[in-house]
Amino acid sequence: MTRILVTGGAGYIGSTATALLADRGYEVVVLDDLSMGHADAVDPRATFIEGSILDADLLRNALAGCEAVIHFAGKSLVGESVEKPELYHRVNVDGTQTLLEAMSIHGIDKIVFSSSAATYGQPIDNPITEESFASPTNPYGASKLAIDKMITSAGISAISLRYFNVAGAYQTTQGWLAERHNPETHLIPLVLRATEDNPLKIFGTDWDTKDGTCVRDYVHVVDLIEAHIMALGALKPHVHEIVNLGSGGGYSVREVISVASQVLARPVPAVESPRRAGDPATLVASIVKAKSLLGWEPTRALETMISDAVKSQAQ
Ligand code: UDP
């Protein structure tokens, strides 16, 4: 049976990957320091090791017998990265360096990496292709771009998957793997918890978009993980590919609110607020390469992402 190390396997996206890999018959080892993740989100079929990717000894143990790594572990809050750039460099970049060194010691040369659309920064054109100029506008995006370059230099079999906006949830036999960030900064979970007393703040209504609010490309977490599993099968010796993952289409903040109010069958309380620093007006992925290289196409619509998020928050 193929054994895979999933770093960050207790987080929202990593725990979904762990469960889906186990469903497909992979043997999974999870390494997570629980700084963001939750131990109860780790699939019981996986072997769970609590610790950091900065711990070289622990990594060497975790990698024993593994054929490949899916690497999710890392800091992922844009705002925090602006306040603590060194932390983001140390955990994300130095942590990945430690991981690559440990893989090399074990002769493991296959990695699928959780990169980000934040590597592109303010896009010149949409949809964004993998050839688009990468110029991150915050330390989080810069750390993901530095890792992508480090992986290229390592000369191993690698695919970096650049996520756009991930949403939705996966239901296992144990229950839903919900998005449980603290603090929560993402639009869809915040839309679902908005109340008259604590309405959703719409960050900017004067953007150059269809209705003045920001446009983003949302992809269901299960579709996203399907792409990771396909990526494992598409790795080629000594080749590092970069692949965008989104839906190929965009929704404005007001459109997300409107779909959510249909799903919830009630209005979503919202107020107009100033722009959020660092937000680009529009981010939409080109998914041409994901289709051609991985044979992947997302199948779950925004309505499904929102209704799955509702069910996962309700449990
Ligand atoms: N957004 C918003 N209000 C919020 C949170 C987010 O208007 O309380 C907007 C944000 O400006 C962006 C979109 O929703 O245009 C998605 O933001 P999120 O933080 O979910 O993801 P990001 O695009 O920053 O990765």
Side-chain angles (χ1 to χ4, degrees):
M1 199 195 298
T2 308
R3 191 177 169 101
I4 309 278
L5 175 67
V6 175
T7 72
Y12 163 53
I13 300 176
S15 65
T16 304
T18 301
L20 277 161
L21 285 163
D23 291 350
R24 304 287 160 84
Y26 286 88
E27 193 181 326
V28 185
V29 178
V30 166
L31 179 70
D32 196 301
D33 67 2
L34 300 182
S35 59
M36 293 287 283
H38 305 271
D40 64 4
V42 178
D43 193 284
R45 293 165 291 182
T47 303
F48 176 46
I49 300 172
E50 184 179 343
S52 164
I53 49 169
L54 286 158
D55 185 337
D57 291 337
L58 200 61
L59 265 175
R60 279 198 286 275
N61 290 335
L63 282 165
C66 290
E67 210 167 281
V69 176
I70 307 186
H71 178 33
F72 297 100
K75 296 261 157 208
S76 60
L77 299 174
V78 170
E80 184 186 52
S81 81
V82 175
E83 284 158 28
K84 301 176 185 166
E86 313 80 22
L87 177 69
Y88 274 66
H89 193 277
R90 190 166 58 80
V91 176
N92 293 4
V93 182
D94 297 349
T96 305
Q97 183 67 50
T98 311
L99 172 64
L100 292 172
E101 282 165 12
M103 286 172 63
S104 165
I105 289 166
H106 277 285
I108 300 167
D109 62 355
K110 297 189 181 77
I111 188 165
V112 173
F113 171 57
S114 157
S115 187
S116 169
T119 52
Y120 296 112
Q122 294 279 352
I124 297 161
D125 283 315
N126 278 288
I128 299 169
T129 74
E130 294 78 0
E131 308 301 316
S132 298
F133 187 57
S135 180
T137 50
N138 53 64
Y140 166 68
S143 74
K144 291 288 183 179
L145 184 59
I147 296 168
D148 282 342
K149 289 180 177 166
M150 193 192 293
I151 291 174
T152 305
S153 306
I156 57 178
S157 307
I159 297 184
S160 290
L161 298 170
R162 289 188 172 164
Y163 313 160
F164 283 64
N165 291 62
V166 186
Y170 180 54
Q171 188 178 28
T172 71
T173 49
Q174 266 77 42
W176 288 90
L177 294 171
E179 194 170 0
R180 284 190 277 163
H181 295 123
N182 188 15
E184 186 53 76
T185 59
H186 292 121
L187 179 64
I188 290 175
L190 291 175
V191 163
L192 301 185
R193 64 177 74 159
T195 59
E196 290 295 341
D197 292 340
N198 194 10
L200 178 86
K201 293 192 176 104
I202 301 174
F203 293 148
T205 53
D206 57 351
W207 295 96
D208 182 16
T209 58
K210 46 189 155 186
D211 61 17
T213 64
C214 285
V215 171
R216 294 290 181 273
D217 184 339
Y218 296 88
V219 58
H220 196 292
V221 66
V222 174
D223 283 327
L224 186 93
I225 299 308
E226 299 284 1
H228 289 66
I229 297 173
M230 289 170 160
L232 281 176
L235 292 168
K236 293 189 213 87
H238 312 297
V239 177
H240 178 205
E241 297 279 5
I242 307 254
V243 180
N244 291 342
L245 294 181
S247 71
Y251 285 90
S252 72
V253 174
R254 285 199 198 282
E255 286 173 334
V256 170
I257 292 171
S258 155
V259 174
S261 64
Q262 283 162 32
V263 170
L264 293 165
R266 62 164 173 81
V268 171
V271 290
E272 298 189 358
S273 296
R275 291 180 174 193
R276 181 172 69 176
D279 262 342
T282 301
L283 288 175
V284 175
S286 161
I287 56 169
V288 173
K289 187 168 177 186
K291 286 182 192 167
S292 62
L293 192 86
L294 308 179
W296 175 83
E297 216 163 343
T299 60
R300 294 163 181 85
L302 184 63
E303 288 78 0
T304 308
M305 297 179 217
I306 295 176
S307 63
D308 286 350
V310 171
K311 290 175 206 157
S312 73
Q313 305 287 353
Q315 81 175 352

PDB file of all heavy atoms in Angstrom, residues 78 164-165 185-188 190 200-204 214-216 218 253 276 279-281 283, ligand 1:
ATOM      1  N   VAL A  78      -2.965  36.097   5.845  1.00  0.00           N
ATOM      2  CA  VAL A  78      -2.309  37.217   5.156  1.00  0.00           C
ATOM      3  C   VAL A  78      -2.022  38.370   6.123  1.00  0.00           C
ATOM      4  O   VAL A  78      -0.910  38.895   6.172  1.00  0.00           O
ATOM      5  CB  VAL A  78      -3.188  37.693   3.976  1.00  0.00           C
ATOM      6  CG1 VAL A  78      -2.669  38.995   3.396  1.00  0.00           C
ATOM      7  CG2 VAL A  78      -3.253  36.623   2.901  1.00  0.00           C
ATOM      8  N   PHE A 164      -6.984  29.025  -5.355  1.00  0.00           N
ATOM      9  CA  PHE A 164      -7.701  30.284  -5.298  1.00  0.00           C
ATOM     10  C   PHE A 164      -8.551  30.228  -4.011  1.00  0.00           C
ATOM     11  O   PHE A 164      -7.984  29.955  -2.965  1.00  0.00           O
ATOM     12  CB  PHE A 164      -8.427  30.529  -6.633  1.00  0.00           C
ATOM     13  CG  PHE A 164      -7.409  31.003  -7.672  1.00  0.00           C
ATOM     14  CD1 PHE A 164      -6.363  30.171  -8.089  1.00  0.00           C
ATOM     15  CD2 PHE A 164      -7.429  32.295  -8.158  1.00  0.00           C
ATOM     16  CE1 PHE A 164      -5.382  30.622  -8.965  1.00  0.00           C
ATOM     17  CE2 PHE A 164      -6.453  32.750  -9.041  1.00  0.00           C
ATOM     18  CZ  PHE A 164      -5.433  31.914  -9.439  1.00  0.00           C
ATOM     19  N   ASN A 165      -9.850  30.445  -4.020  1.00  0.00           N
ATOM     20  CA  ASN A 165     -10.581  30.494  -2.744  1.00  0.00           C
ATOM     21  C   ASN A 165     -11.265  29.155  -2.459  1.00  0.00           C
ATOM     22  O   ASN A 165     -12.175  28.773  -3.181  1.00  0.00           O
ATOM     23  CB  ASN A 165     -11.596  31.628  -2.766  1.00  0.00           C
ATOM     24  CG  ASN A 165     -10.908  32.985  -2.762  1.00  0.00           C
ATOM     25  OD1 ASN A 165     -10.175  33.302  -3.684  1.00  0.00           O
ATOM     26  ND2 ASN A 165     -11.106  33.751  -1.729  1.00  0.00           N
ATOM     27  N   THR A 185     -11.355  34.516   8.935  1.00  0.00           N
ATOM     28  CA  THR A 185     -11.254  35.702   8.079  1.00  0.00           C
ATOM     29  C   THR A 185     -11.914  35.460   6.725  1.00  0.00           C
ATOM     30  O   THR A 185     -12.035  36.382   5.933  1.00  0.00           O
ATOM     31  CB  THR A 185      -9.769  36.059   7.811  1.00  0.00           C
ATOM     32  OG1 THR A 185      -9.138  34.934   7.183  1.00  0.00           O
ATOM     33  CG2 THR A 185      -9.035  36.414   9.088  1.00  0.00           C
ATOM     34  N   HIS A 186     -12.325  34.226   6.438  1.00  0.00           N
ATOM     35  CA  HIS A 186     -12.806  33.899   5.095  1.00  0.00           C
ATOM     36  C   HIS A 186     -14.283  34.239   4.905  1.00  0.00           C
ATOM     37  O   HIS A 186     -15.089  34.108   5.817  1.00  0.00           O
ATOM     38  CB  HIS A 186     -12.538  32.419   4.782  1.00  0.00           C
ATOM     39  CG  HIS A 186     -11.073  32.146   4.645  1.00  0.00           C
ATOM     40  ND1 HIS A 186     -10.407  31.250   5.433  1.00  0.00           N
ATOM     41  CD2 HIS A 186     -10.154  32.699   3.834  1.00  0.00           C
ATOM     42  CE1 HIS A 186      -9.126  31.256   5.097  1.00  0.00           C
ATOM     43  NE2 HIS A 186      -8.944  32.129   4.134  1.00  0.00           N
ATOM     44  N   LEU A 187     -14.568  34.626   3.676  1.00  0.00           N
ATOM     45  CA  LEU A 187     -15.888  35.191   3.384  1.00  0.00           C
ATOM     46  C   LEU A 187     -17.041  34.231   3.699  1.00  0.00           C
ATOM     47  O   LEU A 187     -17.988  34.620   4.400  1.00  0.00           O
ATOM     48  CB  LEU A 187     -15.946  35.617   1.903  1.00  0.00           C
ATOM     49  CG  LEU A 187     -17.286  36.205   1.464  1.00  0.00           C
ATOM     50  CD1 LEU A 187     -17.588  37.497   2.205  1.00  0.00           C
ATOM     51  CD2 LEU A 187     -17.299  36.444  -0.046  1.00  0.00           C
ATOM     52  N   ILE A 188     -16.999  33.006   3.178  1.00  0.00           N
ATOM     53  CA  ILE A 188     -18.197  32.154   3.282  1.00  0.00           C
ATOM     54  C   ILE A 188     -18.534  31.809   4.745  1.00  0.00           C
ATOM     55  O   ILE A 188     -19.685  32.000   5.162  1.00  0.00           O
ATOM     56  CB  ILE A 188     -18.086  30.936   2.337  1.00  0.00           C
ATOM     57  CG1 ILE A 188     -18.196  31.463   0.891  1.00  0.00           C
ATOM     58  CG2 ILE A 188     -19.168  29.886   2.644  1.00  0.00           C
ATOM     59  CD1 ILE A 188     -18.004  30.438  -0.209  1.00  0.00           C
ATOM     60  N   LEU A 190     -17.924  33.559   7.300  1.00  0.00           N
ATOM     61  CA  LEU A 190     -18.392  34.800   7.935  1.00  0.00           C
ATOM     62  C   LEU A 190     -19.796  35.165   7.453  1.00  0.00           C
ATOM     63  O   LEU A 190     -20.614  35.659   8.235  1.00  0.00           O
ATOM     64  CB  LEU A 190     -17.409  35.951   7.663  1.00  0.00           C
ATOM     65  CG  LEU A 190     -16.058  35.798   8.372  1.00  0.00           C
ATOM     66  CD1 LEU A 190     -15.091  36.904   7.950  1.00  0.00           C
ATOM     67  CD2 LEU A 190     -16.228  35.817   9.897  1.00  0.00           C
ATOM     68  N   LEU A 200     -22.226  41.016   8.232  1.00  0.00           N
ATOM     69  CA  LEU A 200     -21.030  40.857   7.401  1.00  0.00           C
ATOM     70  C   LEU A 200     -20.586  42.225   6.916  1.00  0.00           C
ATOM     71  O   LEU A 200     -21.409  43.032   6.483  1.00  0.00           O
ATOM     72  CB  LEU A 200     -21.343  39.983   6.179  1.00  0.00           C
ATOM     73  CG  LEU A 200     -20.100  39.845   5.281  1.00  0.00           C
ATOM     74  CD1 LEU A 200     -19.226  38.719   5.751  1.00  0.00           C
ATOM     75  CD2 LEU A 200     -20.475  39.705   3.830  1.00  0.00           C
ATOM     76  N   LYS A 201     -19.287  42.477   6.980  1.00  0.00           N
ATOM     77  CA  LYS A 201     -18.749  43.717   6.409  1.00  0.00           C
ATOM     78  C   LYS A 201     -18.342  43.426   4.972  1.00  0.00           C
ATOM     79  O   LYS A 201     -17.517  42.538   4.732  1.00  0.00           O
ATOM     80  CB  LYS A 201     -17.525  44.171   7.195  1.00  0.00           C
ATOM     81  CG  LYS A 201     -17.824  44.611   8.605  1.00  0.00           C
ATOM     82  CD  LYS A 201     -16.586  45.305   9.177  1.00  0.00           C
ATOM     83  CE  LYS A 201     -16.852  45.864  10.541  1.00  0.00           C
ATOM     84  NZ  LYS A 201     -16.272  45.067  11.620  1.00  0.00           N
ATOM     85  N   ILE A 202     -18.902  44.170   4.031  1.00  0.00           N
ATOM     86  CA  ILE A 202     -18.494  44.024   2.625  1.00  0.00           C
ATOM     87  C   ILE A 202     -17.304  44.963   2.427  1.00  0.00           C
ATOM     88  O   ILE A 202     -17.457  46.191   2.512  1.00  0.00           O
ATOM     89  CB  ILE A 202     -19.645  44.396   1.666  1.00  0.00           C
ATOM     90  CG1 ILE A 202     -20.858  43.497   1.935  1.00  0.00           C
ATOM     91  CG2 ILE A 202     -19.189  44.295   0.220  1.00  0.00           C
ATOM     92  CD1 ILE A 202     -22.097  43.885   1.126  1.00  0.00           C
ATOM     93  N   PHE A 203     -16.147  44.372   2.175  1.00  0.00           N
ATOM     94  CA  PHE A 203     -14.922  45.180   2.086  1.00  0.00           C
ATOM     95  C   PHE A 203     -14.810  45.847   0.712  1.00  0.00           C
ATOM     96  O   PHE A 203     -14.200  45.307  -0.204  1.00  0.00           O
ATOM     97  CB  PHE A 203     -13.691  44.308   2.337  1.00  0.00           C
ATOM     98  CG  PHE A 203     -13.584  43.772   3.744  1.00  0.00           C
ATOM     99  CD1 PHE A 203     -13.003  42.526   3.979  1.00  0.00           C
ATOM    100  CD2 PHE A 203     -14.042  44.496   4.838  1.00  0.00           C
ATOM    101  CE1 PHE A 203     -12.879  42.023   5.265  1.00  0.00           C
ATOM    102  CE2 PHE A 203     -13.929  43.996   6.129  1.00  0.00           C
ATOM    103  CZ  PHE A 203     -13.346  42.751   6.347  1.00  0.00           C
ATOM    104  N   GLY A 204     -15.387  47.030   0.599  1.00  0.00           N
ATOM    105  CA  GLY A 204     -15.264  47.821  -0.632  1.00  0.00           C
ATOM    106  C   GLY A 204     -16.410  47.577  -1.578  1.00  0.00           C
ATOM    107  O   GLY A 204     -16.744  46.426  -1.884  1.00  0.00           O
ATOM    108  N   CYS A 214     -15.499  42.888  -4.652  1.00  0.00           N
ATOM    109  CA  CYS A 214     -14.391  42.058  -5.151  1.00  0.00           C
ATOM    110  C   CYS A 214     -14.883  40.742  -5.736  1.00  0.00           C
ATOM    111  O   CYS A 214     -15.822  40.129  -5.207  1.00  0.00           O
ATOM    112  CB  CYS A 214     -13.442  41.720  -4.012  1.00  0.00           C
ATOM    113  SG  CYS A 214     -12.397  43.058  -3.505  1.00  0.00           S
ATOM    114  N   VAL A 215     -14.197  40.290  -6.771  1.00  0.00           N
ATOM    115  CA  VAL A 215     -14.538  39.022  -7.424  1.00  0.00           C
ATOM    116  C   VAL A 215     -13.444  37.996  -7.101  1.00  0.00           C
ATOM    117  O   VAL A 215     -12.249  38.285  -7.236  1.00  0.00           O
ATOM    118  CB  VAL A 215     -14.670  39.220  -8.948  1.00  0.00           C
ATOM    119  CG1 VAL A 215     -14.806  37.878  -9.666  1.00  0.00           C
ATOM    120  CG2 VAL A 215     -15.872  40.113  -9.251  1.00  0.00           C
ATOM    121  N   ARG A 216     -13.894  36.814  -6.661  1.00  0.00           N
ATOM    122  CA  ARG A 216     -12.964  35.726  -6.352  1.00  0.00           C
ATOM    123  C   ARG A 216     -13.451  34.438  -7.003  1.00  0.00           C
ATOM    124  O   ARG A 216     -14.623  34.285  -7.324  1.00  0.00           O
ATOM    125  CB  ARG A 216     -12.877  35.496  -4.832  1.00  0.00           C
ATOM    126  CG  ARG A 216     -12.254  36.646  -4.057  1.00  0.00           C
ATOM    127  CD  ARG A 216     -10.763  36.765  -4.320  1.00  0.00           C
ATOM    128  NE  ARG A 216     -10.143  37.850  -3.561  1.00  0.00           N
ATOM    129  CZ  ARG A 216     -10.070  39.118  -3.979  1.00  0.00           C
ATOM    130  NH1 ARG A 216     -10.601  39.467  -5.146  1.00  0.00           N
ATOM    131  NH2 ARG A 216      -9.474  40.025  -3.244  1.00  0.00           N
ATOM    132  N   TYR A 218     -14.038  30.592  -6.432  1.00  0.00           N
ATOM    133  CA  TYR A 218     -14.251  29.646  -5.331  1.00  0.00           C
ATOM    134  C   TYR A 218     -14.219  28.206  -5.840  1.00  0.00           C
ATOM    135  O   TYR A 218     -14.798  27.897  -6.884  1.00  0.00           O
ATOM    136  CB  TYR A 218     -15.592  29.940  -4.640  1.00  0.00           C
ATOM    137  CG  TYR A 218     -15.578  31.314  -3.996  1.00  0.00           C
ATOM    138  CD1 TYR A 218     -15.952  32.454  -4.726  1.00  0.00           C
ATOM    139  CD2 TYR A 218     -15.134  31.496  -2.691  1.00  0.00           C
ATOM    140  CE1 TYR A 218     -15.890  33.722  -4.159  1.00  0.00           C
ATOM    141  CE2 TYR A 218     -15.070  32.760  -2.117  1.00  0.00           C
ATOM    142  CZ  TYR A 218     -15.453  33.865  -2.857  1.00  0.00           C
ATOM    143  OH  TYR A 218     -15.374  35.117  -2.293  1.00  0.00           O
ATOM    144  N   VAL A 253     -18.538  39.518  -4.101  1.00  0.00           N
ATOM    145  CA  VAL A 253     -18.972  39.353  -2.698  1.00  0.00           C
ATOM    146  C   VAL A 253     -20.495  39.424  -2.634  1.00  0.00           C
ATOM    147  O   VAL A 253     -21.136  38.606  -1.953  1.00  0.00           O
ATOM    148  CB  VAL A 253     -18.314  40.428  -1.799  1.00  0.00           C
ATOM    149  CG1 VAL A 253     -18.875  40.359  -0.383  1.00  0.00           C
ATOM    150  CG2 VAL A 253     -16.798  40.259  -1.774  1.00  0.00           C
ATOM    151  N   ARG A 276     -10.447  46.438   2.171  1.00  0.00           N
ATOM    152  CA  ARG A 276      -9.445  45.798   3.027  1.00  0.00           C
ATOM    153  C   ARG A 276      -8.093  45.970   2.347  1.00  0.00           C
ATOM    154  O   ARG A 276      -7.967  45.700   1.146  1.00  0.00           O
ATOM    155  CB  ARG A 276      -9.804  44.319   3.195  1.00  0.00           C
ATOM    156  CG  ARG A 276      -8.878  43.535   4.075  1.00  0.00           C
ATOM    157  CD  ARG A 276      -9.388  42.134   4.349  1.00  0.00           C
ATOM    158  NE  ARG A 276      -9.351  41.286   3.164  1.00  0.00           N
ATOM    159  CZ  ARG A 276      -9.675  39.988   3.156  1.00  0.00           C
ATOM    160  NH1 ARG A 276     -10.077  39.400   4.266  1.00  0.00           N
ATOM    161  NH2 ARG A 276      -9.609  39.283   2.063  1.00  0.00           N
ATOM    162  N   ASP A 279      -6.252  43.860  -0.869  1.00  0.00           N
ATOM    163  CA  ASP A 279      -7.170  43.064  -1.697  1.00  0.00           C
ATOM    164  C   ASP A 279      -7.069  43.478  -3.166  1.00  0.00           C
ATOM    165  O   ASP A 279      -7.266  44.647  -3.480  1.00  0.00           O
ATOM    166  CB  ASP A 279      -8.626  43.289  -1.246  1.00  0.00           C
ATOM    167  CG  ASP A 279      -9.156  42.223  -0.327  1.00  0.00           C
ATOM    168  OD1 ASP A 279      -8.562  41.135  -0.276  1.00  0.00           O
ATOM    169  OD2 ASP A 279     -10.179  42.485   0.330  1.00  0.00           O
ATOM    170  N   PRO A 280      -6.813  42.558  -4.091  1.00  0.00           N
ATOM    171  CA  PRO A 280      -6.989  42.889  -5.508  1.00  0.00           C
ATOM    172  C   PRO A 280      -8.483  42.878  -5.845  1.00  0.00           C
ATOM    173  O   PRO A 280      -9.267  42.223  -5.153  1.00  0.00           O
ATOM    174  CB  PRO A 280      -6.281  41.741  -6.242  1.00  0.00           C
ATOM    175  CG  PRO A 280      -5.668  40.883  -5.192  1.00  0.00           C
ATOM    176  CD  PRO A 280      -6.315  41.204  -3.882  1.00  0.00           C
ATOM    177  N   ALA A 281      -8.884  43.603  -6.900  1.00  0.00           N
ATOM    178  CA  ALA A 281     -10.300  43.665  -7.274  1.00  0.00           C
ATOM    179  C   ALA A 281     -10.798  42.289  -7.705  1.00  0.00           C
ATOM    180  O   ALA A 281     -11.863  41.832  -7.280  1.00  0.00           O
ATOM    181  CB  ALA A 281     -10.497  44.670  -8.405  1.00  0.00           C
ATOM    182  N   LEU A 283      -9.688  38.122  -8.781  1.00  0.00           N
ATOM    183  CA  LEU A 283      -8.747  36.997  -8.902  1.00  0.00           C
ATOM    184  C   LEU A 283      -9.520  35.812  -9.461  1.00  0.00           C
ATOM    185  O   LEU A 283     -10.391  35.261  -8.778  1.00  0.00           O
ATOM    186  CB  LEU A 283      -8.187  36.600  -7.528  1.00  0.00           C
ATOM    187  CG  LEU A 283      -7.183  37.507  -6.840  1.00  0.00           C
ATOM    188  CD1 LEU A 283      -6.879  36.974  -5.440  1.00  0.00           C
ATOM    189  CD2 LEU A 283      -5.891  37.614  -7.645  1.00  0.00           C
TER     190      LEU A 283
HETATM  191  N1  UDP B   1     -14.542  39.751   2.271  1.00  0.00           N
HETATM  192  C1  UDP B   1     -15.512  40.651   2.708  1.00  0.00           C
HETATM  193  N2  UDP B   1     -15.845  40.635   4.028  1.00  0.00           N
HETATM  194  C2  UDP B   1     -15.294  39.767   4.923  1.00  0.00           C
HETATM  195  C3  UDP B   1     -14.324  38.836   4.462  1.00  0.00           C
HETATM  196  C4  UDP B   1     -13.974  38.854   3.127  1.00  0.00           C
HETATM  197  O1  UDP B   1     -16.024  41.461   1.930  1.00  0.00           O
HETATM  198  O2  UDP B   1     -15.642  39.823   6.111  1.00  0.00           O
HETATM  199  C5  UDP B   1     -14.159  39.745   0.849  1.00  0.00           C
HETATM  200  C6  UDP B   1     -12.692  40.008   0.625  1.00  0.00           C
HETATM  201  O3  UDP B   1     -12.450  41.395   0.492  1.00  0.00           O
HETATM  202  C7  UDP B   1     -12.431  39.249  -0.672  1.00  0.00           C
HETATM  203  C8  UDP B   1     -13.425  38.090  -0.623  1.00  0.00           C
HETATM  204  O4  UDP B   1     -14.406  38.456   0.352  1.00  0.00           O
HETATM  205  O5  UDP B   1     -12.766  40.045  -1.774  1.00  0.00           O
HETATM  206  C9  UDP B   1     -12.783  36.776  -0.205  1.00  0.00           C
HETATM  207  O6  UDP B   1     -12.019  37.031   0.961  1.00  0.00           O
HETATM  208  P1  UDP B   1     -11.355  35.848   1.794  1.00  0.00           P
HETATM  209  O7  UDP B   1     -10.700  36.471   2.990  1.00  0.00           O
HETATM  210  O8  UDP B   1     -12.373  34.782   2.028  1.00  0.00           O
HETATM  211  O9  UDP B   1     -10.281  35.232   0.804  1.00  0.00           O
HETATM  212  P2  UDP B   1      -9.052  35.920   0.019  1.00  0.00           P
HETATM  213  O10 UDP B   1      -9.589  36.270  -1.341  1.00  0.00           O
HETATM  214  O11 UDP B   1      -8.569  37.090   0.799  1.00  0.00           O
HETATM  215  O12 UDP B   1      -8.052  34.812  -0.060  1.00  0.00           O
END
